[in-house]
Amino acid sequence: MLVVMSGARALMEALKREKVKVVFGIPGGANLPIYDELLNHDVRHVLARHEQCAAHMADGYARASGWAGVCFATSGPGTTNLVTGIANAYMDSSPVIAVTGQVSRPFIGRDAFQETDAIGITAPITKHNIQPSKASEIPLAIRTAFYVATTGRPGPVLIDIPKDVQTEVEEVEFPEKVKIRGYTPYPPIDPQLVHQAVALIANSRKPVILAGGGVKYSNASKGLLELSETLMAPVATSFMGKGAFPEDHPLSIGIVGMHGNPVANKLVQEADLLIGVGFRFSDRTTGKVGEFCSDAKLIHIDIDEAEIGKNKRVDAAIVGDAGEALSMMLKQIREGGFKASEDWGRRLEEVKSQLQAEEEGEGGLKPPAVIKEMRRLLPRNAIVTTEVGQNQMWASLHFKAYMPRTFISSGGLGTMGFGFPAAIGAKVAVPEVPVVDIAGDGSFAMTENSLATSVAENIPVIVVILNNRMLGMVAQWQRLFYDRRYSAVKLDKPDFVKLAEAYGAQGLRPQSLEEFREAFKKALKCDVTTVIDVPIDPEEDVMPMIPPGGGLKDMIEVA
Ligand SMILES: Cc1ncc(C[n+]2csc(CCOP(=O)(O)OP(=O)(O)O)c2C)c(N)n1
C-alpha cells in the first residue's frame, strides 16, 4: 500500500516495523528532521555524549538482546566518531544498524560543511551500507539493513540519509520481504560433508571441541552441550565464544589462546581431533598458526564460507548454521555409536586438578580474587562487559560465564572504552539483571563521559576499575619484552570516586577484599550507577600468556 510521508517519518515507521524500541545517538544539523520526527514516536532515545559511545551502546544492546542495536549520528564528525564503534561491531560480527545524516543531495561531493563520505569510509567496516537517494527508498533500505545485519554471519550496516531526503515527501511503500541477489545467509548443509566430519570423529580417541562466537549467534549452545556429552569431549572456547558453554560444566576447560586457561591450552595441543564450531582461527586464539594442533585432524563448522581455510587448512569443513550442523552430526554419531575414551576423560581430570591445586592460596586485593568475589555475589544470568587490557584478560580467565550473551567484550578490534557504554546498552536490553563493567583505569577514562548518560537516563550499571595507575597491558609487555623500559604508560588521574560523584553517580574505593565485598553489595542494591575504584599493584601481570609470535606450547605460566 502506498502512503505519502516524509523520509524521516518513513525511517521511523520502518524502524518500528523492525521492532526497534530504543535508539542510541546524538543529534546534529544533518539529522534534525529525524530527531524532530522522533518526538512523534514511541521509541526511547538514549542520548550519548560521544557517537563512539552511541555505537558501543547499540553493540552492547545487540549482544545482550540477540536483536539488532540502532544508533543515530549526524554527518561529518558524527559519522567519523561512529567509525570505531562500527569497526568494533564488524570485527565481532555484531548486528549494529547505524543511521547517519548526510548533507543535502546538491551539496554532496562539494566539501560542504560537515560533509564526509560516509559510504566510502565505512565500506570496509560494514557488512553492507546504503545511501537512499529518495524518501521512497528508505523503507526498503531499512528492511534490507536489518535482514543483512541479523542473518547469516551478523554484522553492522550503515544507512546514510541526505538531509533533503529526510524532509522530502513522497509516496512510500513498506516491503514485507527483501531478496538480495547472491546473498544466501543460511547455505544448505551438504550431508556428505557431515558424513566426512563424523568419520573423523569416529576415528578419534582424544577429541576437543573449540566453540567460537558463532555458537552464540546461532543459538547453538544446546547442540554444543549434547555433542560434548555424547563424545565426552572437553569444550574450550575462543575469547568470543566465552559463555557458549557453561564454564562450571565438568567438560568445560575455559578459553584458549594468548591469555587462555592453561587446561585449555594444554589439552588442545594433546587432542587428536579438534572440532571448531563458529570459530575463525584468529591469531589471538591459535598463537603461531602453523603449530596450532599440528598433529590433530581438524573439523571446521562455520556459516561464512570465506573463513574455511583462510587461516588454517582443515581436514573436513561444514558450511552452514552451527546449530543445524551440530544436530545433523549428532544424529549420525548416535546412529553409528561412539565410544568415548576413558583415558582421555582421566587426562582431563588430571590436568584440571593440577590447575586447581596451583590456584589455591590467592587472596588480598588482587584482580583474580576480586573477580571471583564478584562471581560469587552475582546471579548466574548477570552480564559482564570488559574494557581492554589486563582487566579484560583477568575477567576472561577468572569470571566464569554460564550462559550465552552474559560475557560481552571487544574481541577482534580490542577497543579500549568499549565496556562501559556496552554495559549501558546491555542494561537497556536486559534491565532486570545486574550489569558490571570490569575496567582498567586507562580504558574507562576513554568513555567515562557515558556516566552522564547512565545517570541522566537512569540506566544503573556497576563499573569495577582494577586501577593500577597504568596502561597496564602495555606496561606488562614493556616489563616482559622491553626490559622494563616503561614508555608512556603511567596514569595517575583522575580521582574516579570524585569523578563519579561529579556526574551524580556513586563512587567507592575499597582497600581490602572484605571492603570490596561490602562495596559491591552496596552497588548491587543501589539504583544509580556505581564506580568502584579498586587500587591494585601496578606490577601485577596477567598470567598465563603466550609471548607474541609463540605457539600454545610456549605458554608462560608465571612471571
Ligand atoms: C583505543 C585503543 N587505544 C590503544 C590501545 C592499545 N592498548 C591495549 S591495552 C592498553 C592498556 C589498557 O590500560 P587500562 O585500560 O588501564 O587497562 P589495564 O591493562 O591496566 O587493565 C592499550 C593502551 C587499544 N587497545 N585501544
Side-chain angles (χ1 to χ4, degrees):
M1 198 183 60
L2 288 166
V3 269
V4 176
M5 63 176 71
S6 71
R9 169 97 190 272
L11 169 71
M12 292 311 300
E13 293 287 339
L15 290 178
K16 222 182 300 174
R17 281 161 202 257
E18 304 297 338
K19 305 195 170 36
V20 173
K21 305 240 167 11
V22 58
V23 167
F24 305 89
I26 302 186
N31 62 1
L32 272 172
I34 295 174
Y35 272 83
D36 186 62
E37 181 60 33
L38 193 63
L39 296 174
N40 301 328
H41 297 265
D42 184 22
V43 170
R44 178 176 185 189
H45 182 270
V46 174
L47 178 63
R49 299 301 193 269
H50 189 297
E51 288 82 357
Q52 178 186 347
C53 299
H56 291 331
M57 287 172 194
D59 191 342
Y61 178 93
R63 295 192 206 199
S65 69
W67 187 230
V70 182
C71 55
F72 283 179
T74 191
S75 66
T79 301
T80 52
N81 273 354
L82 280 185
V83 165
T84 299
I86 296 173
N88 186 73
Y90 184 70
M91 292 291 277
D92 288 349
S93 308
S94 180
V96 167
I97 308 277
V99 180
T100 48
Q102 182 54 278
V103 298
S104 290
R105 285 167 292 186
F107 294 107
I108 291 179
R110 292 170 192 272
D111 290 342
F113 177 62
Q114 295 194 327
E115 183 190 1
T116 197
D117 177 6
I119 295 292
I121 288 176
T122 61
I125 51 163
T126 47
K127 193 172 169 192
H128 188 46
N129 62 17
I130 312 168
Q131 188 179 66
S133 58
K134 295 195 299 191
S136 57
E137 291 175 8
I138 290 176
L140 180 62
I142 294 295
R143 203 61 274 267
T144 305
F146 277 78
Y147 176 59
V148 171
T150 56
T151 52
R153 179 177 182 169
V157 175
L158 174 128
I159 305 115
D160 186 49
I161 314 180
K163 189 172 181 182
D164 58 338
V165 173
Q166 298 166 31
T167 49
E168 182 176 55
V169 175
E170 282 203 310
E171 281 192 327
V172 302
E173 192 171 12
F174 292 89
E176 280 304 317
K177 282 210 161 90
V178 282
K179 215 170 170 282
I180 304 166
R181 210 169 355 122
Y183 182 59
T184 315
Y186 301 105
I189 294 174
D190 180 349
Q192 192 51 38
L193 298 178
V194 177
H195 201 71
Q196 281 172 15
V198 171
L200 291 179
I201 291 174
N203 285 325
S204 83
R205 302 293 296 153
K206 299 186 284 177
V208 168
I209 301 173
L210 179 42
V215 174
K216 298 194 248 178
Y217 287 125
S218 80
N219 297 319
S221 287
K222 198 165 156 277
L224 179 70
L225 190 71
E226 278 180 40
L227 182 71
S228 76
E229 287 179 350
T230 307
L231 305 181
M232 291 306 284
V235 180
T237 69
S238 67
F239 181 66
M240 289 307 295
K242 195 173 159 72
F245 191 80
E247 291 190 296
D248 56 349
H249 190 284
L251 288 167
S252 166
I253 54 174
I255 72 160
V256 181
M258 179 177 269
H259 289 285
N261 189 314
V263 179
N265 281 352
K266 281 193 180 119
L267 288 186
V268 160
Q269 290 177 87
E270 294 176 22
D272 66 354
L273 174 72
L274 185 87
I275 309 171
V277 193
F279 141 80
R280 65 183 174 94
F281 290 94
S282 92
D283 55 324
R284 279 276 158 138
T285 303
T286 63
K288 200 186 271 176
V289 73
E291 289 177 9
F292 183 69
C293 292
S294 46
D295 298 331
K297 297 275 186 214
L298 301 181
I299 299 174
H300 191 187
I301 302 169
D302 206 285
I303 191 98
D304 187 352
E305 195 171 359
E307 288 298 339
I308 308 292
K310 184 169 95 181
N311 296 330
K312 182 90 181 158
R313 201 193 56 76
V314 293
D315 299 282
I318 302 174
V319 177
D321 177 70
E324 210 182 314
L326 289 175
S327 68
M328 285 170 80
M329 279 166 71
L330 271 163
K331 190 160 173 284
Q332 286 196 21
I333 291 167
R334 286 189 182 127
E335 279 162 9
F338 177 88
K339 183 93 185 67
S341 146
E342 282 171 18
D343 288 351
W344 191 222
R346 269 195 294 276
R347 177 71 183 135
L348 168 66
E349 290 302 315
E350 185 183 283
V351 180
K352 272 193 154 182
S353 58
Q354 262 171 18
L355 183 78
Q356 258 149 17
E358 280 166 25
E359 273 203 348
E360 274 162 23
E362 283 173 4
L365 212 47
K366 293 205 179 254
V370 169
I371 291 168
K372 285 178 191 165
E373 194 61 45
M374 275 168 46
R375 175 70 283 180
R376 278 191 281 274
L377 295 169
L378 287 167
R380 285 183 77 79
N381 60 353
I383 295 175
V384 159
T385 66
T386 83
E387 300 297 342
V388 168
Q390 293 179 307
N391 62 86
Q392 179 183 36
M393 295 304 133
W394 279 314
S396 84
L397 278 164
H398 303 291
F399 190 88
K400 302 282 176 231
Y402 304 133
M403 298 178 198
R405 306 194 179 284
T406 58
F407 187 84
I408 296 174
S409 187
S410 170
L413 198 64
T415 312
M416 290 170 71
F418 167 76
F420 180 39
I424 292 174
K427 182 73 181 176
V428 171
V430 195
E432 61 280 8
V433 309
V435 180
V436 183
D437 173 33
I438 298 180
D441 45 331
S443 298
F444 180 62
M446 287 199 181
T447 52
E448 66 192 19
N449 58 10
S450 289
L451 278 168
T453 304
S454 161
V455 173
E457 306 269 350
N458 194 17
I459 309 167
V461 299
I462 303 171
V463 181
V464 175
I465 305 176
L466 300 172
N467 190 347
N468 47 17
R469 292 143 329 268
M470 285 276 181
L471 293 170
M473 187 58 102
V474 181
Q476 174 168 337
W477 282 49
Q478 290 174 349
R479 195 155 49 242
L480 296 177
F481 311 118
Y482 293 85
D483 202 20
R484 291 185 169 264
R485 283 161 57 82
Y486 292 121
S487 176
V489 286
K490 295 213 169 86
L491 310 167
D492 66 349
K493 292 277 183 300
D495 176 330
F496 289 107
V497 171
K498 284 191 183 148
L499 180 89
E501 287 167 358
Y503 279 105
Q506 174 174 233
L508 303 169
R509 184 173 294 119
Q511 300 293 348
S512 65
L513 197 56
E514 289 66 39
E515 281 183 25
F516 173 76
R517 189 178 306 133
E518 292 317 308
F520 198 77
K521 282 188 193 157
K522 197 168 163 194
L524 281 170
K525 284 199 207 105
C526 188
D527 54 11
V528 72
T529 286
T530 301
V531 176
I532 308 181
D533 186 30
V534 184
I536 61 162
D537 181 351
E539 297 271 315
E540 198 82 48
D541 288 323
V542 188
M543 286 296 160
M545 89 172 282
I546 293 165
L552 297 191
K553 67 169 177 23
D554 304 312
M555 178 170 64
I556 315 172
E557 295 200 46
V558 276

